[in-house]
Amino acid sequence: MKEALAWLEHCKSLSPAIVETCAKVVVSSGPGALIKALSQALPEWKFRHSLSRGGWYRLGGVLDGNGNRISDSLENWAENALNERGGDFGQLTDDFVDKELYATRLMGQTHYLVAAAGEGVADFLQLEIEDLQELRVHRLFANDPGTIEELVDPRGGNDKPVPVGLPFHTFHRIQHIGALLRRMQAQKPEPAPIHRMLADWSKSSASSTSAYSNHWVIATREHLDHYHQPVFRAQPISTQTGDAPEFEAVAGSSGLELSAALSHFDRESGYPMAWYFHMLTSKAVPHWVADCVIEDSMSGYGYLPHGDIEVVRGWLHQPYAV
């Protein structure tokens, strides 16, 4: 646990240089420019781009009709205004319905960057940098809202988003994944699915071919429980571009047909046992495949190494999904 806390402090010490880098690199220059700037700011760490995920947004602030900023936080503005009126939403609407006020939204994309930090499967730093674009979206109170939720984030609407300033980078998080997983296990000794996935990777032929962080990043969340203790969640995300390969075998396949389907899936994914790890994390590979692989092994079909067979056998003994 001391090592995990040491990594936590070390990651904090890297943050100022990353924040400065984010401020200097323009979004239009792409992730490659981030990598180059980070190599200059933190030469001891060899970060590389692993994945970009977009299509998400956060609530922004409040602007008036002339584009002047009323508040940086739409939610805080709305809650404070409602509290000032004793929680009377009707009064809030009456007071502001004729004022020209607009909500903004931060459209985002997260860039995941990774750097090796040791020999273990989870020994890598994972850096998350967001590029954000603030957009003016709906006019407040124009949709006759009945709740705070309908006011700040209504469904639909006819307002065309209007950019507010240029896109920009912002530092979101950096963490040592192995240290994070050790902190999770200190909370709950029973291995979580992500622990089992990484253990299976280290025991399979995938580990001798490629690093886990070459093919997966880990989306993490943290919240406080009823006792105000941090609770961590970790979800693996494939870095493969687009959808997973199509699994080309029908239910109950065996022998040469199943072996060919597994090999094709692995080739398309770029590493051995990819079919197994996608079986754990998605619906790309159905669960019946594991049963048939073991049945083939018991019948003498030796198309998988012994270590891989043992990994699959362990999953059948105690199934899990991530």
Side-chain angles (χ1 to χ4, degrees):
M1 190 61 181
K2 287 183 179 180
E3 183 185 2
L5 293 176
W7 273 114
L8 182 64
E9 290 303 315
H10 184 67
C11 287
K12 287 181 180 178
S13 73
L14 302 179
S15 299
I18 299 171
V19 170
E20 185 177 350
T21 300
C22 288
K24 292 192 301 185
V25 179
V26 296
V27 170
S28 59
S29 60
L34 273 176
I35 299 293
K36 183 177 180 180
L38 284 168
S39 69
Q40 296 170 348
L42 299 170
E44 69 274 24
W45 292 104
K46 308 302 180 186
F47 283 102
R48 56 182 176 76
H49 180 259
S50 187
L51 176 69
S52 293
R53 295 183 80 204
W56 55 265
Y57 69 89
R58 293 193 193 105
L59 300 181
V62 182
L63 305 178
D64 67 16
N66 296 318
N68 299 311
R69 192 169 296 277
I70 304 300
S71 174
D72 287 326
S73 173
L74 170 59
E75 289 179 289
N76 289 344
W77 177 87
E79 290 174 0
N80 290 338
L82 183 60
N83 289 336
E84 289 169 1
R85 290 156 181 80
D88 187 338
F89 199 88
Q91 185 63 52
L92 177 69
T93 300
D94 291 342
D95 288 348
F96 286 100
V97 69
D98 294 327
K99 299 183 185 297
E100 191 177 359
L101 298 176
Y102 293 89
T104 72
R105 181 178 291 176
L106 292 167
M107 297 299 296
Q109 180 175 214
T110 303
H111 300 296
Y112 290 86
L113 287 71
V114 298
E119 299 298 323
V121 64
D123 287 337
F124 62 95
L125 296 189
Q126 181 175 286
L127 169 60
E128 297 168 43
I129 292 177
E130 299 172 344
D131 67 58
L132 301 173
Q133 170 73 78
E134 187 175 19
L135 303 174
R136 193 191 79 178
V137 284
H138 62 281
R139 180 170 174 173
L140 294 172
F141 300 97
N143 63 325
D144 191 24
T147 64
I148 286 286
E149 289 74 19
E150 292 175 358
L151 172 65
V152 302
D153 196 14
R155 294 176 179 269
N158 298 318
D159 292 349
K160 183 178 180 180
V162 177
V164 179
L166 295 173
F168 58 94
H169 286 120
T170 184
F171 166 61
H172 180 58
R173 175 167 48 204
I174 183 171
Q175 51 195 341
H176 185 286
I177 294 301
L180 170 72
L181 297 181
R182 286 191 286 276
R183 291 176 70 194
M184 287 177 63
Q185 207 148 25
Q187 290 180 337
K188 188 178 180 182
E190 181 72 21
I194 187 64
H195 294 107
R196 293 187 60 190
M197 180 187 187
L198 287 164
D200 281 350
W201 183 282
S202 66
K203 291 182 288 187
S204 76
S205 55
S207 66
S208 60
T209 304
S210 188
Y212 179 86
S213 60
N214 286 338
H215 305 283
W216 300 88
V217 295
I218 298 179
T220 61
R221 290 181 296 162
E222 180 180 346
H223 70 272
L224 297 179
D225 63 16
H226 295 301
Y227 302 100
H228 298 283
Q229 297 299 310
V231 177
F232 302 99
R233 297 286 184 269
Q235 179 68 40
I237 302 171
S238 173
T239 62
Q240 195 162 345
T241 303
D243 296 330
E246 183 177 355
F247 187 71
E248 299 178 339
V250 298
S253 298
S254 62
L256 292 176
E257 183 181 355
L258 181 55
S259 174
L262 299 180
S263 297
H264 173 78
F265 193 98
D266 289 353
R267 281 197 307 272
E268 292 294 309
S269 299
Y271 62 97
M273 283 288 276
W275 67 268
Y276 174 78
F277 295 104
H278 280 273
M279 183 188 76
L280 301 178
T281 57
S282 72
K283 296 182 179 179
V285 178
H287 289 170
W288 62 260
V289 175
D291 287 291
C292 291
V293 163
I294 296 303
E295 288 176 4
D296 277 354
S297 173
M298 295 173 65
S299 300
Y301 288 103
Y303 50 78
L304 288 183
H306 175 74
D308 292 350
I309 289 294
E310 290 304 303
V311 166
V312 179
R313 197 185 303 276
W315 182 86
L316 285 174
H317 178 69
Q318 191 177 2
Y320 69 99
V322 190

